[in-house]
Amino acid sequence: MESILLQYGWVLIVLVVLEGLLAADNAVVMAVMVKHLPQEQQKKALFYGLFGALIFRFSALFVITVLVNYWQIQALGAAYLLFMSAKNIYDLRHKGDSNEESNDEAGKKGAGFWMTVLKVEAADIAFAIDSMLAAVAIAVTLPQVGNFDIGGINGGQFIVMLLGGFIGVIMMRFAAQWFVKILNDYPSLETAAFLIVGWVGVKLVVLTLSHEKVSILPAEFPHSTVWELTFWIVLVAIALVGYLVGVRHKHQDQ
């Protein structure tokens, strides 16, 4: 029994680390989505959006074998992130310097609180499919515990997956809140943030193209060392350059 508990503990740690890595880039997207809201509404939007996402993840564990067949979910998520990235970078480059215009735009955006919550939930759904599949693949290697199943998965394995996903969503929520603070402190970082959003959109494109029902890319490519290294190197480079530019602009403004 002690050996089984150690195995379960180790797999839970692996799942939390996996969710934490995935939460890093996802949190940037969440932060960009809620940044336009008044400060007191940003935390609420993240809370409500990710609470709904947690319910989705719990429900999806029951139907993961069905949900995985719908590559369109990730395709729509990719299209939306790429559109949002391109549109907002264009807007940032062409917006006027008028404070009145900026305030009017902020007011209009601020009115869309529940639409923002819905967008946060939708984005997490697009992100969640791949992470849940990875969680299932890892958890089913564990020895079965108990004589009950949940959603066609052994109860012990299901609980480990649920805990890993729950902790991951919490990590994403606080990471997103931290990114919102950084964007508020360094407004010129917005361009880099939207570039990261677009790059995450490319990640979803790769996942879609490698889906077994699309098969334009090899199924193993999204999880290959080459792609993983490429993705993280580009993401870190965008963030680092954006941060350095943001710090320089802040010093110039002072």
Side-chain angles (χ1 to χ4, degrees):
M1 189 62 187
E2 290 181 1
S3 174
I4 291 176
L5 288 176
L6 285 174
Q7 290 182 60
Y8 268 76
W10 170 247
V11 167
L12 180 59
I13 292 173
V14 170
L15 290 178
V16 169
V17 171
L18 173 66
E19 289 284 352
L21 290 173
L22 293 171
D25 54 326
N26 299 357
V28 176
V29 177
M30 305 298 177
V32 168
M33 285 181 169
V34 303
K35 184 182 180 295
H36 66 272
L37 293 173
Q39 190 170 1
E40 65 273 11
Q41 290 187 355
Q42 290 172 356
K43 292 182 180 180
K44 290 182 179 179
L46 287 173
F47 175 79
Y48 291 141
L50 294 177
F51 181 75
L54 182 62
I55 294 175
F56 165 79
R57 289 185 181 220
F58 176 76
S59 304
L61 285 175
F62 290 95
V63 292
I64 189 65
T65 54
V66 176
L67 200 61
V68 69
N69 292 320
Y70 293 96
W71 57 268
Q72 293 90 342
I73 294 176
Q74 289 177 332
L76 287 172
Y80 174 70
L81 293 185
L82 290 172
F83 169 77
M84 182 174 71
S85 174
K87 180 182 183 300
N88 283 279
I89 289 175
Y90 178 84
D91 289 345
L92 285 171
R93 294 299 181 187
H94 293 83
K95 69 180 180 180
D97 294 327
S98 170
N99 289 333
E100 182 178 351
E101 180 182 343
S102 298
N103 288 336
D104 288 344
E105 182 180 355
K108 291 177 183 176
K109 288 183 176 180
F113 174 78
W114 288 109
M115 181 56 69
T116 300
V117 171
L118 183 61
K119 289 178 180 179
V120 170
E121 289 189 14
D124 186 71
I125 288 172
F127 294 137
I129 306 300
D130 191 57
S131 64
M132 287 192 300
L133 286 176
V136 171
I138 294 171
V140 294
T141 63
L142 289 167
Q144 296 189 2
V145 175
N147 297 319
F148 65 100
D149 291 341
I150 303 176
I153 303 172
N154 173 258
Q157 298 170 347
F158 182 92
I159 290 171
V160 167
M161 286 187 290
L162 183 62
L163 285 174
F166 178 73
I167 295 172
V169 169
I170 292 175
M171 293 169 65
M172 194 186 307
R173 191 266 187 192
F174 285 104
Q177 188 176 325
W178 181 69
F179 282 124
V180 169
K181 184 179 184 302
I182 290 179
L183 290 175
N184 286 330
D185 291 341
Y186 300 94
S188 58
L189 267 175
E190 279 195 67
T191 299
F194 282 116
L195 285 173
I196 291 175
V197 169
W199 185 233
V200 174
V202 172
K203 179 182 180 181
L204 288 178
V205 170
V206 169
L207 287 169
T208 301
L209 296 180
S210 61
H211 191 280
E212 61 179 9
K213 290 192 175 181
V214 180
S215 298
I216 293 177
L217 292 175
E220 64 277 4
F221 179 75
H223 307 289
S224 65
T225 302
V226 173
W227 169 245
E228 291 284 356
L229 283 175
T230 301
F231 176 78
W232 284 106
I233 288 173
V234 172
L235 188 146
V236 171
I238 294 172
L240 183 59
V241 172
Y243 175 76
L244 293 175
V245 171
V247 170
R248 187 181 68 181
H249 285 177
K250 188 171 184 177
H251 288 323
Q252 288 175 350
D253 293 340
Q254 291 175 346

